[in-house]
Amino acid sequence: MAVIAAIATVSGRSTAQAATRAPGGPLTEAAVLDSDIVFYSARIARDPEGALDRAKLGSLYLQRARQTGSPEDLVRAEKVARESFGLRTRKNGIALQVLAFSLMGQHRFAEALDEARVLVQDDSTSISNRSLLGEIEMELGLYASADSTFKSLKSWGYKLTVAPRLARWKELTGHPDSARMILLAARDDAMRQPNLPLEQKAWFDLRLGDLAFRSQHLDEAERNYLAGLAISPDDYRLLAAMSRLESARHRWDSAIDYGQRAIALVPDPATLGLLGDALAAQGDSAGAEEYYHTMELVVVRQPGAFHRAWSLFLLDHDRSLKTVLAKVQEEITQRKDIYGFDLLAWALYKNGRVVEARTAMQQALKLGTQDPQLFRHAQIIEAASARRLVEN
């Protein structure tokens, strides 16, 4: 099994994602996107003062990053957005939006917040700018500010730039049914938009599926994921989600099939971990360990903050416990959201620091979020805390 060879390209665009012309047919969306990137790259090379062209190129890099999971495209988007804004600071909100999104994609939320605040200051009437600010406030755990932002957007909840963020806020604050209704309406609206890229339409089904999965409505999650794949068959995020779903159902052959299709496109460490679990469940401990070890190497060497799904996997499998805890403690100094505290609580518990874990877990539960993961961690930590009291 050439797992390590496959993961060697984790930070780059997979050859399976390369843009091609469908045999006997028109250019694929990926091919059109690549062609547009080449076109605008050539334009800015000829025009060193082309601020708007740089902003457009940055938005194209962002779109490709969503499709391919490429961190390099996020960095490229950041670079050209900064160049654009440096050339033109007035009436160049597009460049600032691209910059904020690229920073968010790199998990640099505090920096993204600065850009979003400038956007809102420059144009407080922009619904898109205010909803972006609310999203970043959520990510950073600035919940009082997020609440105020989303209350100001209540009458605009039907807009595609607002609905997914408002739905996430509803879910976080303990209203998953409201979140689902908002997302359903947004998904139907997205399907009616002729110029919306297919991967963005499929993303709404991914969001609905993830919401159903977190609520343990697995059949509903499957319907959503498959609906998304019908729109965008090579979407690695949906393939990985199906692998996770099938793993939860203990349908190991199907989990392996979806997982291998996903990593052939983008070798995401979380999916590598799922494949390891599936092989372990089938009795292939050697194959599972190869996946686990490769995933661990990639995650530990990742610069900056750990991806949270990767971190949880390592903690659940009792791997790199001290390293993960150190990374989580570093991140929580700036990003104080409930899932950051959940991750901190779980890392502390796994490192035997039960009293501190209990305190962190209380912060994770403060919004009343209806997430089985939070409840499971809280129950385990509470039980360990009770045992500690009895023993002492």
Side-chain angles (χ1 to χ4, degrees):
M1 200 185 311
V3 182
I4 293 178
I7 200 64
T9 60
V10 69
S11 62
R13 194 176 189 201
S14 166
T15 55
Q17 285 286 93
T20 58
R21 183 187 295 273
L27 285 174
T28 64
E29 277 194 354
V32 172
L33 178 57
D34 282 349
S35 178
D36 286 346
I37 287 173
V38 170
F39 174 78
Y40 279 97
S41 296
R43 279 177 64 116
I44 68 171
R46 294 192 301 268
D47 182 7
E49 304 298 320
L52 295 183
D53 282 343
R54 282 168 169 78
K56 175 62 176 177
L57 179 60
S59 69
L60 294 172
Y61 281 137
L62 283 180
Q63 184 179 341
R64 193 166 70 179
R66 286 193 298 267
Q67 292 179 355
T68 67
S70 167
E72 283 84 2
D73 275 338
L74 291 173
V75 173
R76 293 181 185 111
E78 177 190 355
K79 178 177 181 293
V80 294
R82 291 191 186 279
E83 289 174 357
S84 175
F85 195 70
L87 291 166
R88 178 176 175 174
T89 56
R90 292 178 57 82
K91 295 184 179 181
N92 195 7
I94 295 176
L96 276 183
Q97 286 183 343
V98 170
L99 180 55
F101 279 119
S102 66
L103 292 170
M104 290 171 66
Q106 297 173 68
H107 293 186
R108 293 159 59 186
F109 294 101
E111 294 173 72
L113 179 66
D114 292 338
E115 307 304 335
R117 284 173 170 166
V118 172
L119 277 167
V120 172
Q121 181 179 347
D122 288 348
D123 185 1
S124 61
T125 65
S126 169
I127 303 304
S128 176
N129 290 349
R130 281 195 281 147
S131 64
L132 172 61
L133 175 63
E135 179 180 7
I136 298 171
E137 289 168 339
M138 274 194 295
E139 292 288 351
L140 287 169
L142 301 173
Y143 294 130
S145 298
D147 184 47
S148 176
T149 299
F150 286 114
K151 281 180 178 175
S152 76
L153 294 169
K154 186 177 180 180
S155 60
W156 301 96
Y158 63 91
K159 293 182 70 70
L160 288 182
T161 54
V162 177
R165 293 155 173 161
L166 181 59
R168 182 60 176 157
W169 179 241
K170 291 290 186 182
E171 185 185 4
L172 282 179
T173 52
H175 304 286
D177 290 339
S178 295
R180 180 176 178 274
M181 296 304 295
I182 293 169
L183 282 175
L184 280 171
R187 191 270 311 274
D188 292 344
D189 186 20
M191 296 305 161
R192 293 190 291 267
Q193 304 301 317
N195 297 322
L196 196 67
L198 293 179
E199 60 88 12
Q200 291 186 33
K201 293 182 177 182
W203 178 82
F204 284 91
D205 282 308
L206 176 65
R207 283 290 308 274
L208 280 163
D210 286 346
L211 177 60
F213 184 84
R214 285 191 292 271
S215 301
Q216 299 184 314
H217 298 150
L218 302 189
D219 289 344
E220 182 182 346
E222 179 180 22
R223 288 193 295 271
N224 291 135
Y225 293 148
L226 292 179
L229 284 170
I231 298 168
S232 184
D234 291 328
D235 191 307
Y236 76 96
R237 301 164 301 180
L238 284 158
L239 292 169
M242 277 300 299
S243 180
R244 183 178 68 247
L245 174 64
E246 295 297 70
S247 292
R249 290 167 155 174
H250 295 179
R251 297 177 181 174
W252 304 118
D253 287 339
S254 182
I256 290 170
D257 177 61
Y258 279 113
Q260 288 179 338
R261 287 166 62 189
I263 66 168
L265 296 165
V266 176
D268 173 64
T271 309
L272 288 170
L274 285 173
L275 286 167
D277 282 350
L279 289 174
Q282 292 185 327
D284 185 357
S285 57
E289 180 56 31
E290 186 175 359
Y291 274 112
Y292 292 153
H293 180 64
T294 304
M295 186 260 196
E296 185 175 24
L297 286 176
V298 173
V299 174
V300 170
R301 293 172 182 173
Q302 187 79 7
F306 274 12
H307 189 292
R308 288 177 174 177
W310 307 347
S311 301
L312 278 173
F313 184 91
L314 292 177
L315 294 172
D316 285 343
H317 291 72
D318 296 317
R319 305 177 79 99
S320 301
L321 297 181
K322 291 182 179 180
T323 302
V324 173
L325 175 58
K327 285 281 189 177
V328 173
Q329 288 174 319
E330 179 183 349
E331 184 188 43
I332 203 70
T333 61
Q334 288 196 352
R335 192 180 175 194
K336 301 179 185 293
D337 65 311
I338 61 167
Y339 285 100
F341 278 109
D342 173 59
L343 188 58
L344 175 62
W346 198 234
L348 287 165
Y349 166 75
K350 285 289 186 173
N351 280 273
R353 296 163 61 174
V354 177
V355 175
E356 295 167 89
R358 188 171 183 268
T359 300
M361 200 66 227
Q362 290 171 348
Q363 290 295 311
L365 297 171
K366 66 182 179 181
L367 290 183
T369 310
Q370 302 297 299
D371 189 331
Q373 173 185 296
L374 300 181
F375 298 152
R376 180 175 66 87
H377 289 170
Q379 288 169 358
I380 293 172
I381 291 169
E382 197 64 31
S385 180
R387 288 195 301 271
R388 184 72 59 88
L389 287 173
V390 171
E391 291 169 359
N392 292 337

